[in-house]
Amino acid sequence: MLPCSWGLWRSAIHTLKTFSRASPSARGLCIPTRAVCDAETIFALSSGHGRCGVAVVRVSGPASSMVLRNMAGLTQALPPPRTALLRRITDPQSKELLDRGLVLWFKGPHSFTGEDSAEFHIHGGPAVITAVLQALGSLEGVRPAEAGEFTRRAFHAGKLGLTEVEGLGDLIHAETEAQRRQALRQMDGELGRLYQDWSYRLKRCLAHVEAFIDFSEDELIEDGVLNQVDSSVRQLETEIERHLKDERRGERLRTGVQVVIAGATNAGKSSLLNTLCQRPAAIVSPIAGTTRDIVETSLDIGGFPVLLSDTAGLRDSSDSVEREGVRRARQRVEQADLTLVVVDSTQLPPDPQLVAAFLQEHLSTVLPSPEAGMTAASDRVLLVLNKSDLVPEEQRERTEGELRERPGLPPACFLSCSTSTGLEDFLTVLQSRVKTLCGDPLSGAPSLTQARHRAHLQQSVQALNQYHQYRDQDLALAAEGVRLALTHLGRITGRVGAEEILDIIFRDFCIGK
């Protein structure tokens, strides 16, 4: 505890002076490029483009009430906030009837953007939408919104933190159930609250260190203050490192699991791709080397996003085009989160006791070297023994029993792409692996979802190492390490130097969001 005394007041005054001299980014401030209440009023179609039953046109800014009065013919008071009102929507210039629909009024700051806002719920035909948008554009002081501008204004108004903005963007682009759950959790603020808690604790550490630097000689600081800081910094470092050791589950769930089909020529790789995506995405031919380039398709496997890639058959070739295809195939295997190694079951040794050694040798020709982090026993590999319908049932059953008792091999699934025999069991194993790679988005601490989060957290850990390095040599340099760690955390949440990353984040939003 720091004593409440004249020394503490002196420390506060000293801190304020230092703070006022620092640059805005060093002070932990987010300086917006536009004022929170922008002088311009913006509008956009917030629902999706194309024919639909109902389309939503959103308006935000100081002229929203004027827009609502002119477009909806409201001569009296505006409708109560957040109350739908059925009105004739007309062109303010020609007074021509454009549509009949619902209008809503949102009085700032109790709106998504924090500004006065209005919404028009109109019929979703292209001609109706175009007419309403053209009428809005004819009003003075009203302009079409830029991509992500509504959310940018909500951020500047303090309605959303930066991690919540990113969660909202992920929710809009979510294609699977697991992606929706993860994005919704982030948009709800769980990840932002975690980082804000770390920031608050670092601020306390920094305050205690700076107070010790200024007043330890005056005996105004109790003994053990630095020991408390040491303990807090060490605990924070442990928590951040644990957060980083997530094997990229959150990022993988956000962008999709990279699953690569690899193996020798004519093993049935393209047939497996077509079977999984249930359409003829790749050409299937008995001619070896038909697939030359990467064929990709997106799948939803048990609610988890998968980017499935078919690759060229791995073999030596004198054909320069095929050699390039093989090179790309090996490169894609090295980058894969999960590799499906397809083997022609008819090529297996008749003696089941020799199959394990055969597969071990085959895997060594398909997978990268062990130094690349992938081995035959890796949980990033599945064996697919295709064309099982061409293997005698007794031999297949004996081989399955033999492989179950052999450690050091990845799970092996007998499958026939021709008859779909074994497909259900294979999909169960595949779904389990994909779920393990992505994790459960609803359990445990919130997931780390962005590469920029990871980069700033890694730099925060390095900065905290600086504190330990200089703690007994130069306390001012040690304090600077804590300050740097705090700055990097602030860059994640948008409290420090956010402007340089705003354009990257907001440009991925649709115009009406």
Side-chain angles (χ1 to χ4, degrees), residues 259-264 267-269 272 311 314 333 338-344 359-368 374-376 380-386 410-413 426:
V259 178
V260 174
I261 303 173
K269 300 183 299 300
L272 178 59
T311 60
L314 303 177
V333 170
L338 179 65
T339 301
L340 307 180
V341 180
V342 182
V343 180
D344 184 346
L359 291 174
Q360 198 84 28
E361 182 179 353
H362 181 73
L363 287 169
S364 67
T365 66
V366 176
L367 302 179
M374 187 182 292
T375 64
R380 294 167 54 194
V381 182
L382 283 180
L383 273 168
V384 182
L385 307 181
N386 191 26
C413 303
F426 167 68

Side-chain angles (χ1 to χ4, degrees), residues 2 18 43 47 49 66 97 110 132 176 340 345 379 383 513:
L2 295 177
T18 304
F43 69 90
S47 53
H49 290 273
M66 177 273 292
L97 177 65
H110 305 295
V132 171
T176 70
L340 307 180
S345 296
D379 58 3
L383 273 168
K513 197 65 181 173

Side-chain angles (χ1 to χ4, degrees), residues 268-326:
K269 300 183 299 300
S270 296
S271 296
L272 178 59
L273 176 79
N274 293 344
T275 299
L276 291 176
C277 67
Q278 298 181 341
R279 62 183 177 88
I283 297 173
V284 176
S285 165
I287 302 173
T290 301
T291 303
R292 300 292 184 93
D293 209 344
I294 307 295
V295 180
E296 293 183 340
T297 185
S298 297
L299 297 177
D300 181 337
I301 303 291
F304 295 90
V306 167
L307 183 63
L308 186 64
S309 302
D310 182 23
T311 60
L314 303 177
R315 68 171 182 176
D316 294 329
S317 174
S318 59
D319 188 308
S320 61
V321 176
E322 187 173 1
R323 285 202 306 271
E324 174 61 18
V326 171

Side-chain angles (χ1 to χ4, degrees), residues 78-365:
L78 293 170
R82 295 173 297 282
T83 301
L85 188 66
L86 180 63
R87 298 294 298 179
R88 292 164 58 89
I89 299 171
T90 59
D91 187 314
Q93 307 297 332
S94 65
K95 306 303 179 183
E96 178 188 356
L97 177 65
L98 303 178
D99 194 15
R100 293 180 76 246
L102 299 177
V103 297
L104 292 96
W105 166 245
F106 302 89
K107 178 66 177 173
H110 305 295
S111 68
F112 175 75
T113 60
E115 305 172 321
D116 286 350
S117 301
E119 287 184 2
F120 297 86
H121 294 212
I122 58 178
H123 292 97
V128 175
I129 294 171
T130 300
V132 171
L133 294 179
Q134 287 179 346
L136 286 168
S138 68
L139 294 170
E140 186 177 354
V142 181
R143 64 167 176 83
E146 299 172 4
E149 190 169 0
F150 286 92
T151 306
R152 182 190 284 263
R153 292 189 178 196
F155 169 72
H156 287 317
K159 292 288 183 176
L160 295 172
L162 204 50
T163 54
E164 294 166 340
V165 167
E166 290 169 324
L168 175 58
D170 290 346
L171 184 64
I172 292 171
H173 293 101
E175 296 181 348
T176 70
E177 186 67 11
Q179 286 178 316
R180 179 192 65 79
R181 289 171 177 168
Q182 176 171 275
L184 200 57
R185 190 176 181 187
Q186 182 170 335
M187 193 185 76
D188 196 41
E190 282 196 55
L191 192 63
R193 286 192 291 272
L194 175 65
Y195 296 154
Q196 286 167 9
D197 174 66
W198 288 345
S199 295
Y200 173 74
R201 289 156 64 185
L202 279 177
K203 288 174 187 176
R204 286 178 58 87
C205 291
L206 183 60
H208 287 189
V209 173
E210 291 186 337
F212 187 88
I213 292 172
D214 288 342
F215 304 109
S216 60
E217 294 181 358
D218 299 335
E219 298 183 354
L220 296 172
I221 305 298
E222 293 180 358
D223 294 335
V225 167
L226 283 186
N227 292 335
Q228 294 177 20
V229 172
D230 293 344
S231 177
S232 297
V233 169
R234 198 173 294 110
Q235 178 65 28
L236 277 166
E237 203 170 357
T238 301
E239 292 179 22
I240 296 174
E241 288 177 339
R242 187 187 306 124
H243 187 59
L244 285 167
K245 292 177 181 176
D246 64 343
E247 298 181 355
R248 293 182 52 254
R249 288 189 181 91
E251 295 165 82
R252 190 178 289 120
L253 175 56
R254 179 175 175 268
T255 59
V257 181
Q258 301 284 336
V259 178
V260 174
I261 303 173
T265 56
N266 271 6
K269 300 183 299 300
S270 296
S271 296
L272 178 59
L273 176 79
N274 293 344
T275 299
L276 291 176
C277 67
Q278 298 181 341
R279 62 183 177 88
I283 297 173
V284 176
S285 165
I287 302 173
T290 301
T291 303
R292 300 292 184 93
D293 209 344
I294 307 295
V295 180
E296 293 183 340
T297 185
S298 297
L299 297 177
D300 181 337
I301 303 291
F304 295 90
V306 167
L307 183 63
L308 186 64
S309 302
D310 182 23
T311 60
L314 303 177
R315 68 171 182 176
D316 294 329
S317 174
S318 59
D319 188 308
S320 61
V321 176
E322 187 173 1
R323 285 202 306 271
E324 174 61 18
V326 171
R327 186 195 68 80
R328 294 185 182 189
R330 294 194 181 281
Q331 182 182 54
R332 188 59 66 94
V333 170
E334 290 179 359
Q335 299 168 347
D337 297 313
L338 179 65
T339 301
L340 307 180
V341 180
V342 182
V343 180
D344 184 346
S345 296
T346 63
Q347 302 298 315
L348 296 176
D351 185 352
Q353 294 186 348
L354 301 178
V355 171
F358 172 87
L359 291 174
Q360 198 84 28
E361 182 179 353
H362 181 73
L363 287 169
S364 67
T365 66

